[in-house]
Every structure is written in C-alpha cells, then in structure tokens.
Amino acid sequence: MTSKWILIVALATIAAAPASPLTSLAGRYSKHFQNGFIDGSKYWSDDVVEIVPVDATHAYVRADLQFYNGHQCSLTGVAKAVGNTLVYREKEITAYEGRQPCTLTVSIKGKSLLLDDGEGTCKAYCGARGTFSGFDFIPSSSKRPITYMARLKGSEEYKGAIEDWKAGKTE
C-alpha cells in the first residue's frame, strides 16, 4: 500500500470516529419560560445546564431547573463519558443516609437535552415538584459556548465538584 492510500485510510478512520459526548455536549443550554405559583400569579424562570470538559473522559455538569410554585432541582458534579452519554454517579452518600446513590445521565434525545435519573435516585437534589426523571424540556438548539469560563471555574460549585471527584466520591 502506498503512503497516499495509508493517509486516506487514516483520515477516513478519523472522520468515522464518533464524537465524544464531552465535545458534542459541551456548552450552556437554557430555556426561559413563564412559571407560576399556586395562587395563580406568574413569574419568569430559567432552566440552565452547563457542561465543561475536565479531562479526556469526564465533564463538569451543573443543572439548575425551575418548577411550578418555586421548586427547583439543582445538582453539580463530574460525569463520565459512556458512549454518547455523560453519567454522573455518586459513590458515597454524604447528605442523606438510607437513600440510593444519585445516578444522572445527560444526553441528546431528538431535539432536546435529556437529563434522567431513572427511578428518581437524585430526588434529594430537588424540591417537592422538581424531578430529573426524563427531563427533556431544554432545546438542544439553545446550546451556546460558555463565555465566562474563568468565572465558572472559580465558582464554589465547580471547585466542590472537582474536589469530590478527585476524592473518589463520584465516578
């Protein structure tokens, strides 16, 4: 085989390699919507998910989701790339004894960013009306580059998530 053909085969192999979820999902996703209180009054809310690669196989994930009557779900951590999905998995329970460790997956489903904790293993991170179970209301088209990376990496949420991951509390 000539060197020209070797180069063509090598380039075809690189082009055929699937994109890592770290690069394909990285960015800021958001949805601005009208929310409400039980008394009928209305207010504006924002669901925000940030995904930042940490190394070749892990990404920082911050999810802040708003629900009816002021309830929310909020979680930060380091997730591992598994196929086309990011998986955040607690190894150690630190806040609530007697509950299952939280496992949250992040992927693209159709035209939406999908967050899913299966059977509700991350319920401790949510208010009464909030859930990560099958949450796919954030359009994937809302993805934007994170332009405030220095501020994000300087935040207590980011530092805490990295510290927990390095300490082996999450996979």
Side-chain angles (χ1 to χ4, degrees), residues 3-73:
S3 60
K4 179 180 174 183
W5 286 109
I6 292 171
L7 179 61
I8 291 170
V9 170
L11 290 174
T13 303
I14 291 169
S20 162
L22 300 176
T23 55
S24 64
L25 292 173
R28 181 184 191 275
Y29 300 80
S30 63
K31 178 182 169 193
H32 186 65
F33 61 99
Q34 193 168 41
N35 212 333
F37 286 114
I38 199 163
D39 67 4
S41 61
K42 304 286 184 198
Y43 63 99
W44 289 96
S45 291
D46 292 288
D47 290 335
V48 176
V49 176
E50 296 166 327
I51 301 171
V52 178
V54 174
D55 67 14
T57 58
H58 294 86
Y60 166 78
V61 176
R62 181 181 79 87
D64 188 32
L65 310 177
Q66 306 301 311
F67 295 89
Y68 184 73
N69 213 34
H71 295 275
Q72 68 180 41
C73 286

Side-chain angles (χ1 to χ4, degrees), residues 73 75 87-90 92-93 95-96 98-105 115-126 130-134:
C73 286
L75 182 140
V87 180
Y88 168 80
R89 183 175 288 122
E90 290 178 330
E92 180 180 307
I93 298 171
Y96 301 97
R99 68 171 173 88
Q100 290 181 301
C102 169
T103 299
L104 180 71
T105 60
L115 304 177
D116 195 7
D117 70 344
E119 304 273 329
T121 60
C122 302
K123 187 67 178 153
Y125 295 96
C126 297
T131 183
F132 286 115
S133 295

Side-chain angles (χ1 to χ4, degrees), residues 126-140:
C126 297
R129 297 180 195 274
T131 183
F132 286 115
S133 295
F135 188 90
D136 65 349
F137 305 118
I138 299 178
S140 57

